[in-house]
Each structure stands twice: as structure tokens, then as C-alpha cells.
Amino acid sequence: MTSNHTDCHYCLQSLRGRKYALREENAYCVTCYDSLFANPCEECKQPIECDSKDLAYKGRHWHEGCFKCAKCSRSLVEKPFAAKDEVLLCTECYSDEYSSKCFHCRKTIMPGSRKMEFKGSSWHESCFVCQYCRQPLGTKPLITKDNENYCVPCFEKQFAHHCYSCKKVITSGGVTYDDQPWHKECFVCAGCKTQLSGQRFISKDEYPYCVDCFSKLYAKKCAACKKPITALGGAKFISFEERQWHGECFKCAKCSVSLVGQGFLTRQDDVLCHECGSA
């Protein structure tokens, strides 16, 4: 610009017919202005003269021609870029060096694009889908099997067990009985309906019963003590002419000696050892 000011504010030389620069309403010749106020270029370290374009980023300055990618040297003027450890990179180089790779397609997830994080890995949003229906999972609940992700409905259709009793999906826990899966809350005594998970039970006609119900409904009564014979835990019992005894109850009605494995005689409803029966 040509000067309406008479002298340089710093060197006091005349500015008539010369270019000058203004700063805080004071006029400086180009030489003084550059030496006093020009910013050093981050790339070439030379001052950015007043007649050059000064590009600034986070307090640092570049000549227009020096503002370029530190890796591929392409100009970054009016282009998107990223900074890493104070080094400027174009988005392509930054992605190659630092961006996450998609767990599914193994391609770079470009800066600014949406990515999904799951179990320490990253996905493109379009790659993070249910393995079965191929619908985006986003932030929906999901289940992983063999390193593949499934939405809950698809996982249940493909892999989940269904309760033998209520036919609904067993999502956790469960009990196996007679090679069939059951919910714990569905695995109950066929008689009194109390839960049998973790309890002793007896099977009858493919149905489970608690010990009490089985004894009341099906167990034979001991001819001696009249209590049920459940055979639970492998307990021994004796059977003779449609009568049964607990092993510990099968003894002589007169002298009480055990008759298990011994010969015996009967007299009306009593069983007797040979000695008492012959007396």
C-alpha cells in the first residue's frame, strides 16, 4: 500500500512512495514490520513476511506453501487435516497411521465416521450387524457366540434351549432332566408343585416327584412299620407274597433277630426265624 504517513514508526525513514504496514495505528516500513512482528514459519523457520499469507493453527504459523502433510507432503490449505503429537497429517495419512481398523472388514475407520466399540474391538457402524439377520446392532442388546454377534431374537431362534414345560426360551441357568431342558422355576414336583432344583426327587412315568409326594402316592408300605418304602439312596427292601419290608424291619416277630439273607417261616401275618417258628 502507498503511504499517507510520512515516516516509519521504528526506523523513522520516509514512507513516501513506499509500501508500509499498519499496526496499532502506527505505520512501519516492510523491512521493519517483518523484523519486528513477522511470525516464524513452523516448517521452514523463515519469517512470514507481511505480503505473504500467514496460516495459523493453535498458536503456530506457516507459509501457505509450507502448510502441508508431514507424511505425503500434500497441501493442507482449505482441506481437512488432523494433528498427532504436534505433527499435521492429511486425513488419509492419519487414518493409515493411527485410525482403528474394523474388526469385520479390516479396513480403516476414517476420522469423523461413526464407529462401534465392543469387547475392545472397533467396527464400522455398517459392519456391526447381526450375523443372522444382518440388521445393524447399534446399541441393542446382543449375544456373542463363536466370535460372531447376534441380536437377541436371532440368537434365541438359532441356539437357545426352550423349556420342556412352558416352551419359552431359557436365557440363563436351567435344569436338565430326562435329556430335556427346564427353567429352574418350571422344574417342580408333579404332586405339590414345589421346586425340585437342587433337591432329591424320584421319577415316575416321566414326571419328577419330591420324596414326600412320591411316598404318599406310590410307595409301598412296610408290613412291619407301615411307613413308605421309597428305596431312596439305594435302600434295601424285602418282598414276599405281595408284602414288603424295609431291610431293617425284616426280622423275627418273636425274638427280633434279622431275617435278611436267612431262612424264615410264616405264621398268619408274622414272619419267624426257624428256631421261634419250630418252638
Side-chain angles (χ1 to χ4, degrees), residues 259-278:
L259 299 177
V260 177
Q262 307 296 321
F264 61 91
L265 300 172
T266 60
R267 181 180 296 164
Q268 296 179 350
D269 291 336
D270 294 333
V271 288
L272 302 167
C273 65
H274 278 290
E275 185 176 345
C276 292
S278 301

Side-chain angles (χ1 to χ4, degrees), residues 185-252:
E185 57 271 23
C186 293
F187 188 59
V188 297
C189 172
C192 65
K193 306 304 180 184
T194 57
Q195 289 191 23
L196 296 176
S197 178
Q199 307 296 321
R200 294 187 298 177
F201 64 90
I202 302 172
S203 177
K204 173 71 173 177
D205 299 329
E206 297 185 358
Y207 291 99
Y209 291 85
C210 67
V211 175
D212 289 341
C213 286
F214 184 85
S215 298
K216 292 175 182 177
L217 294 172
Y218 301 108
K220 298 182 181 298
K221 302 297 189 294
C222 176
C225 70
K226 310 304 181 185
K227 293 180 180 179
I229 301 173
T230 63
L232 190 65
K236 295 180 179 180
F237 68 96
I238 312 300
S239 179
F240 176 71
E241 293 185 349
E242 298 185 356
R243 290 189 294 167
Q244 289 79 32
W245 291 261
H246 293 109
E248 62 272 21
C249 294
F250 190 59
K251 50 191 176 183
C252 176

Side-chain angles (χ1 to χ4, degrees), residues 18-255:
R18 299 171 62 189
K19 291 182 179 180
Y20 72 95
L22 288 174
R23 185 180 177 88
E24 297 178 355
E25 299 184 358
N26 294 316
Y28 297 84
C29 66
V30 172
T31 301
C32 289
Y33 185 89
D34 288 343
S35 65
L36 292 172
F37 306 116
N39 294 306
C41 175
E42 287 287 328
E43 178 65 19
C44 69
K45 309 304 180 185
Q46 299 299 313
I48 304 172
E49 298 88 350
C50 64
D51 57 353
S52 298
K53 192 171 185 178
D54 186 334
L55 300 180
Y57 174 72
K58 290 189 175 181
R60 297 186 293 156
H61 301 264
W62 289 262
H63 289 105
E64 186 174 14
C66 295
F67 194 62
K68 53 192 177 182
C69 174
K71 186 177 180 183
C72 70
S73 299
R74 285 184 291 183
S75 174
L76 298 178
V77 177
E78 297 183 357
K79 293 181 180 179
F81 64 90
K84 180 70 174 178
D85 300 327
E86 298 188 355
V87 175
L88 302 185
L89 299 166
C90 64
T91 53
E92 291 82 0
C93 289
Y94 182 89
S95 298
D96 290 341
E97 290 289 322
Y98 303 108
S99 291
S100 302
K101 298 294 189 295
C102 177
F103 183 83
H104 176 72
C105 70
R106 304 301 178 184
K107 295 180 180 179
T108 298
I109 302 174
M110 297 297 290
S113 62
R114 189 175 182 187
K115 70 176 180 179
M116 309 304 297
E117 298 280 350
F118 180 65
K119 289 187 176 181
S121 298
S122 302
W123 279 262
H124 291 109
E125 187 177 21
S126 58
C127 291
F128 193 59
V129 298
C130 171
Q131 178 67 17
Y132 186 71
C133 69
R134 312 308 298 176
Q135 294 300 307
L137 290 170
T139 57
K140 298 176 184 176
L142 60 91
I143 301 174
T144 301
K145 179 178 175 61
D146 299 331
N147 290 325
E148 300 289 355
N149 300 319
Y150 298 84
C151 64
V152 174
C154 286
F155 182 86
E156 292 179 350
K157 290 177 184 177
Q158 291 293 105
F159 306 109
H161 295 294
H162 290 75
C163 177
Y164 182 77
S165 176
C166 70
K167 310 306 179 187
K168 294 181 180 179
V169 171
I170 300 173
T171 57
S172 62
V175 176
T176 299
Y177 165 67
D178 198 22
D179 294 328
Q180 298 292 343
W182 303 61
H183 288 113
K184 286 185 178 180
E185 57 271 23
C186 293
F187 188 59
V188 297
C189 172
C192 65
K193 306 304 180 184
T194 57
Q195 289 191 23
L196 296 176
S197 178
Q199 307 296 321
R200 294 187 298 177
F201 64 90
I202 302 172
S203 177
K204 173 71 173 177
D205 299 329
E206 297 185 358
Y207 291 99
Y209 291 85
C210 67
V211 175
D212 289 341
C213 286
F214 184 85
S215 298
K216 292 175 182 177
L217 294 172
Y218 301 108
K220 298 182 181 298
K221 302 297 189 294
C222 176
C225 70
K226 310 304 181 185
K227 293 180 180 179
I229 301 173
T230 63
L232 190 65
K236 295 180 179 180
F237 68 96
I238 312 300
S239 179
F240 176 71
E241 293 185 349
E242 298 185 356
R243 290 189 294 167
Q244 289 79 32
W245 291 261
H246 293 109
E248 62 272 21
C249 294
F250 190 59
K251 50 191 176 183
C252 176
K254 188 172 183 181
C255 70

